[in-house]
Amino acid sequence: MNDTVPWLSDDEQRSWRAFVRLHMKLSARMAADLQAHSGLSSADFEVLVALTDTAEGRVRFQDLAREIDWEQSRLSHQIRRMSKRDLVAREECEEDGRGAYVAITAHGRTAIEAAAPRHVATVRRLVLDHLTAEEFAELGRLSAKVAARIDAA
Amino acid sequence: MNDTVPWLSDDEQRSWRAFVRLHMKLSARMAADLQAHSGLSSADFEVLVALTDTAEGRVRFQDLAREIDWEQSRLSHQIRRMSKRDLVAREECEEDGRGAYVAITAHGRTAIEAAAPRHVATVRRLVLDHLTAEEFAELGRLSAKVAARIDAA
DNA sequence: TATCCCTGGTTGACAGGTCATCTATCAAGT
DNA sequence: ACTTGATAGATGACCTGTCAACCAGGGATA
């Protein structure tokens, strides 16, 4: 089995490690910054963004899970915890007795609106400021290219 | 405060989301694959790689933590769990009564040697195969560039 | 309406991570 | 020796994520 899989070359190895390292540092920093300044975790933020992206401010569990690419049960746990903090609320689903809606609360809306500007500023400070517009666009293009094929691979 | 922070443009937003999305999918897939085929978590893998990278197969806690950029306590917990599974062992430090070494066990070595080829294959299948050599090098270059400045920012 | 399976969502147990706090040892200065 | 402060690492509480098992409501079929 070992024979059929060529190891990474030195250059490839360097690139790969840089890539992994960037993701590690970035997600750690962004999460810490968000938590410290707005009291929201990355998970909270992601859910709230998805909710504000919809017109009605409420979505079916399934749809939300698909939208942010999470497992069902992860979302279920997360929503339970967020409910306790009054960031979102569960609502019954009239059309389907099994289903349920997740709705953003007024408090949740306040929280994300307060958090968003700083979040954007952080993205700029940690990433955008260090790249030219072309470089950042290229990073996006390459990311999209790979991401699109990951599901199939 | 809102006024001083320009929102992301549509293009920037697209790039950023693609970037984040790639990270999410990739780490999820790699972790699942590793776990399923070798019984190791990403955390286990990272620790074992760092240990095999050293000549003696053992390192001081501090050095290991710095090497893989983890918090002290995270490493401590992780090593305790890995010890129970006989992947690593704690060893006393003669030079410094406070210190301790983490050493890879024979079983740990076997485990990582079994896991590595498939891991590399997965990196190839999910990422390298979808990019040209130039594109991948560029991805590495951009990652390194940003990562280098994150600590200071 | 009884039976079957499918689907939407929940739950409990457990691994992983962070934070604050604790213990033990070292290294200086007195 | 004796305090004092810094350093190495451990620990407990608590939050997050995964997995597998579960429960309840649809929808079809007989």
Side-chain angles (χ1 to χ4, degrees):
Chain A
M1 176 206 233
N2 217 324
D3 300 329
T4 67
V5 180
W7 198 255
L8 299 185
S9 73
D10 283 0
D11 277 354
E12 286 172 336
Q13 178 114 260
R14 248 190 302 282
S15 292
W16 176 248
R17 290 206 175 186
F19 179 74
V20 170
R21 194 170 182 73
L22 172 60
H23 283 314
M24 261 186 37
K25 284 183 187 248
L26 203 49
S27 48
R29 281 289 293 268
M30 303 262 304
D33 188 281
L34 197 60
Q35 183 71 51
H37 292 97
S38 66
L40 298 176
S41 69
S42 297
D44 298 333
F45 191 81
E46 194 163 356
V47 167
L48 292 177
V49 166
L51 284 174
T52 51
D53 274 355
T54 71
E56 310 107 4
R58 69 172 209 172
V59 204
R60 286 285 296 270
F61 260 84
Q62 292 276 326
D63 299 331
L64 182 50
R66 197 172 329 102
E67 177 67 23
I68 62 182
D69 209 6
W70 280 18
E71 303 213 349
Q72 252 287 336
S73 88
R74 177 182 178 185
L75 185 57
S76 189
H77 284 302
Q78 180 70 23
I79 295 302
R80 178 174 40 71
R81 291 184 297 245
M82 289 177 77
S83 302
K84 273 192 228 162
R85 293 155 59 208
D86 189 34
L87 294 167
V88 299
R90 335 174 39 77
E91 289 181 7
E92 296 237 332
C93 177
E94 308 76 27
E95 313 93 86
D96 189 332
R98 298 164 294 182
Y101 283 101
V102 188
I104 190 168
T105 61
H107 176 230
R109 210 174 277 277
T110 307
I112 191 158
E113 280 167 5
R118 175 161 219 125
H119 180 75
V120 174
T122 304
V123 172
R124 286 204 176 280
R125 182 166 46 86
L126 296 182
V127 182
L128 280 169
D129 287 353
H130 307 313
L131 298 175
T132 66
E134 289 73 30
E135 285 175 329
F136 186 63
E138 179 69 1
L139 189 60
R141 195 183 69 75
L142 295 175
S143 297
K145 185 170 179 181
V146 176
R149 313 227 181 163
I150 276 192
D151 292 318
Chain B
M1 177 205 235
N2 217 323
D3 301 328
T4 67
V5 180
W7 199 255
L8 300 184
S9 73
D10 283 1
D11 277 354
E12 286 171 336
Q13 178 115 258
R14 248 191 302 283
S15 292
W16 176 248
R17 289 208 176 185
F19 179 74
V20 170
R21 195 170 181 72
L22 172 61
H23 174 37
M24 262 186 34
K25 285 183 187 248
L26 203 49
S27 47
R29 281 289 294 267
M30 304 262 303
D33 187 283
L34 196 60
Q35 183 71 53
H37 292 97
S38 66
L40 298 176
S41 68
S42 297
D44 298 333
F45 191 81
E46 195 163 355
V47 167
L48 292 177
V49 166
L51 284 175
T52 50
D53 274 355
T54 71
E56 309 105 5
R58 70 173 209 172
V59 203
R60 286 285 294 271
F61 261 83
Q62 291 276 325
D63 299 332
L64 182 51
R66 196 172 331 103
E67 176 67 25
I68 61 183
D69 209 4
W70 279 19
E71 303 214 348
Q72 231 279 329
S73 89
R74 176 180 178 187
L75 184 58
S76 190
H77 283 301
Q78 180 70 24
I79 295 303
R80 179 175 39 72
R81 289 184 298 247
M82 289 178 76
S83 300
K84 272 193 226 161
R85 294 155 60 208
D86 188 34
L87 293 167
V88 299
R90 335 175 37 77
E91 290 181 5
E92 297 236 333
C93 176
E94 308 77 26
E95 312 93 87
D96 188 333
R98 298 164 294 182
Y101 283 101
V102 188
I104 190 169
T105 61
H107 176 230
R109 208 172 278 277
T110 307
I112 191 158
E113 279 167 6
R118 175 161 219 125
H119 180 75
V120 175
T122 304
V123 172
R124 287 204 176 279
R125 182 165 45 86
L126 296 183
V127 183
L128 280 169
D129 286 354
H130 306 313
L131 299 175
T132 66
E134 289 73 30
E135 285 175 329
F136 185 62
E138 179 68 1
L139 189 61
R141 195 183 70 76
L142 295 175
S143 298
K145 186 171 180 180
V146 176
R149 312 227 182 165
I150 277 193
D151 293 318

